[in-house]
Amino acid sequence: MKNILFVASECVPFIKTGGLADVVGTLPKIFDKNEYDCRVIIPNYRCIPDKYRDNFKYVHHFYMDMGERFNSVHVGIMEYELDGIKFYFVDNLFYFGGDKPYADTRYDIEKFIYFSKAVMAILPVINFRPDIIHCHDWQAGLVPVYLHTLYRDNPFYQGVKTIFTIHNLRFQGIWDIKTIRSLSGLPEWVFTPDKLEYKKDANMLKGGLVYADYITTVSDTYAGEIQTEYFGEGLNGLLSARNQSLCGIVNGIDYEAYNPETDTNITKQYGTKNCKKSKAANKKALQQEIGLPVDESKFVVSIISRLTDQKGLDLVRYALDRICDEFTQFVVLGTGDPQYENLFREYAWRMPGRLSANILFNEGFAHRVYAGSDAVLVPSQFEPCGLTQLIALRYGTVPIVRETGGLKDTVQPYNEFDGTGIGFSFANYNGDELLNTINYAKHIYFDCRKEWDQMVLRGMKTDYSWANSAKKYQDLYCRVLGW
Ligand code: ADP
């Protein structure tokens, strides 16, 4: 039996702002329970829905020193079991009492220093000694650092290995050395350029990358990209140096949660057999729900995304007038940077009946948008893996993507000559290429409908469940443990 602990800042179904939550909440369920005792630890945010929080079981609490600034900080431990997996929640209302998981950067830094240290301190209390601590993103970056410093000589942690998974290299947890040092209690010698120091500041993600036994990221292409200057976010040198301990394992999606045959969020359930008719019904229901003209002949293209520059929205801005022609309806579901929220609000006002801007986060509604759309647009500047295109494929919705990171690895482009491919893609970060690709997709949709419908079915039949990738993680765990 191998003991694995996932450490992360979000996890479905409890709390989600992006794809990280899907991965952390789904992957542990896939491992063979006879071989793996995989548990998950996240913060006990006040904004986790009460239907879960009310059922969390109190396990224990204690007080922990945290750097020079505070001693005796409260650490509560709550537990909840779901689908045979034990989830732990670090409880501290001062840090996790807000109405959303992340807020001001300085405050987040302190929050996740606290979280990382608390995770280390909790393990003997719950009597769970992981063989591997699997850390996700910068919020868990200090866990491997603590393991190799403050907890180095503690017998309980001897032989514990760490894997660090990069879901997005852009977010790193950077603040000045003095503050991070005094909050974390880490020794002075880790704040050097070969360890946590980064351009005179301290970088929590870098700490994880330096100290982890192995690094993974969420697609093969992104694993290569982050070793280059353009995608490396200032850490490409370090990542190239760790090249022998770095690989990409592409994400899957939860085939139970995202299953159009059983999904109760959508109007009409469907599989590959009754897809065409049912998708038309879902399209009409969606149009009605969001106040667009109910007309199944329109090409409905959607964006379901955090609204940030990473997601290629500057290209969309450039082409939007021309995308929204009289045959097309454009649906946006997302929140984020006000400049993009307002861009879509403005277009909804300028182009009534053609563009619907839904500036909100709603999981159930997202399912209806996936089911009711003909195509989903993911023109990202960079995309470590991307789940949107995988969910779209499952719902018979054709992804139109830029060839970067996981988008490149998962969306084989349509080839009209041999009738292969499951989506459309373009190579360069360029608005005209985006527009041309959308226009080409429309041409296939309107003029070669049979080919389009076959492409939809090929997409639905492509297996992007977690089975393959979970196997790769298991192989990696064995390799890291030398078993
Ligand atoms: P990222 O992690 O960079 O945000 P991913 O493509 O990996 O991007 O994951 C995004 C996830 O969040 C998908 O499951 C997508 O459906 C979901 N999502 C994004 N925005 C919204 C929203 N406004 N409402 C509901 N779900 C959303």
Side-chain angles (χ1 to χ4, degrees), residues 16-20 22 168 251 258 304-306 310-311 333-335 358 360-363 366 370 383-389 391:
K16 166 169 168 176
T17 72
L20 167 67
D22 288 304
N168 193 332
N251 288 335
Y258 298 107
I304 300 155
S305 179
R306 287 185 295 116
Q310 174 198 333
K311 299 295 180 179
L333 170 59
T335 57
N358 305 276
L360 50 98
F361 192 100
N362 183 319
E363 183 75 35
Y370 283 114
E383 193 60 72
C385 176
L387 298 179
T388 325
Q389 79 282 13
I391 302 169

Side-chain angles (χ1 to χ4, degrees), residues 207-223:
L209 299 180
V210 168
Y211 279 101
D213 292 292
Y214 205 94
I215 301 166
T216 74
T217 185
V218 287
S219 69
D220 256 342
T221 295
Y222 194 59

Side-chain angles (χ1 to χ4, degrees), residues 202-258:
N203 181 327
M204 291 166 60
L205 177 90
K206 189 177 173 205
L209 299 180
V210 168
Y211 279 101
D213 292 292
Y214 205 94
I215 301 166
T216 74
T217 185
V218 287
S219 69
D220 256 342
T221 295
Y222 194 59
E225 286 172 341
I226 55 177
Q227 297 176 52
T228 67
E229 201 172 337
Y230 181 79
F231 293 98
E233 305 283 348
L235 295 176
N236 45 298
L238 168 61
L239 290 161
S240 302
R242 296 224 54 193
N243 172 285
Q244 295 302 310
S245 323
L246 165 66
C247 75
I249 301 177
V250 77
N251 288 335
I253 53 168
D254 185 338
Y255 263 37
E256 281 168 33
Y258 298 107

Side-chain angles (χ1 to χ4, degrees), residues 188-480:
E188 192 180 352
W189 53 265
V190 302
F191 295 96
T192 53
D194 60 329
K195 302 189 188 73
L196 267 70
E197 185 182 331
Y198 174 82
K199 299 182 179 163
K200 304 261 180 286
D201 285 324
N203 181 327
M204 291 166 60
L205 177 90
K206 189 177 173 205
L209 299 180
V210 168
Y211 279 101
D213 292 292
Y214 205 94
I215 301 166
T216 74
T217 185
V218 287
S219 69
D220 256 342
T221 295
Y222 194 59
E225 286 172 341
I226 55 177
Q227 297 176 52
T228 67
E229 201 172 337
Y230 181 79
F231 293 98
E233 305 283 348
L235 295 176
N236 45 298
L238 168 61
L239 290 161
S240 302
R242 296 224 54 193
N243 172 285
Q244 295 302 310
S245 323
L246 165 66
C247 75
I249 301 177
V250 77
N251 288 335
I253 53 168
D254 185 338
Y255 263 37
E256 281 168 33
Y258 298 107
N259 182 357
E261 278 179 301
T262 54
D263 192 338
T264 50
N265 294 295
I266 65 178
T267 307
K268 181 126 182 52
Q269 284 79 22
Y270 58 99
T272 44
K273 291 211 170 68
N274 56 346
C275 165
K276 194 168 177 184
K277 253 185 150 171
S278 307
K279 270 192 81 72
N282 284 307
K283 184 196 277 195
K284 286 202 261 184
L286 175 67
Q287 289 166 326
Q288 190 149 28
E289 180 174 359
I290 57 184
L292 288 174
V294 178
D295 179 351
E296 67 173 87
S297 73
K298 294 277 195 262
F299 180 70
V300 176
V301 57
S302 304
I303 286 190
I304 300 155
S305 179
R306 287 185 295 116
L307 302 178
T308 69
D309 60 347
Q310 174 198 333
K311 299 295 180 179
L313 300 172
D314 293 320
L315 303 189
V316 175
R317 185 201 326 255
Y318 170 82
L320 198 51
D321 275 322
R322 286 165 289 169
I323 297 171
C324 297
D325 59 19
E326 59 189 299
F327 310 106
T328 305
Q329 291 177 344
F330 196 100
V331 180
V332 177
L333 170 59
T335 57
D337 190 335
Q339 64 157 319
Y340 300 120
E341 293 187 347
N342 292 333
L343 166 78
F344 292 120
R345 285 192 185 106
E346 187 202 324
Y347 266 82
W349 173 75
R350 266 171 50 181
M351 299 185 141
R354 290 195 189 175
L355 191 140
S356 164
N358 305 276
I359 309 302
L360 50 98
F361 192 100
N362 183 319
E363 183 75 35
F365 181 46
H367 290 226
R368 290 193 287 286
V369 179
Y370 283 114
S373 303
D374 295 299
V376 156
L377 204 56
V378 199
S380 306
Q381 195 179 3
F382 69 94
E383 193 60 72
C385 176
L387 298 179
T388 325
Q389 79 282 13
L390 305 183
I391 302 169
L393 287 165
R394 180 93 166 127
Y395 282 80
T397 307
V398 173
I400 302 176
V401 307
R402 191 171 97 79
E403 290 157 19
T404 182
L407 298 171
K408 186 174 175 184
D409 294 351
T410 56
V411 180
Q412 186 201 352
Y414 174 62
N415 181 330
E416 63 185 35
F417 303 104
D418 62 9
T420 56
I422 54 177
F424 297 88
S425 65
F426 60 101
N428 295 302
Y429 190 69
N430 175 303
D432 289 312
E433 277 192 35
L434 167 72
L435 184 61
N436 287 342
T437 309
I438 295 174
N439 284 340
Y440 177 55
K442 284 185 195 173
H443 158 63
I444 303 298
Y445 181 81
F446 287 115
D447 306 328
C448 313
R449 193 51 194 265
K450 221 172 114 210
E451 278 74 20
W452 178 278
D453 292 341
Q454 284 167 354
M455 173 166 37
V456 165
L457 293 182
R458 281 196 298 277
M460 289 181 85
K461 287 177 186 159
T462 308
D463 183 2
Y464 283 119
S465 68
W466 267 105
N468 291 331
S469 302
K471 171 90 184 38
K472 289 188 183 153
Y473 277 111
Q474 291 183 15
D475 290 346
L476 178 66
Y477 292 156
C478 291
R479 186 136 58 96
V480 168

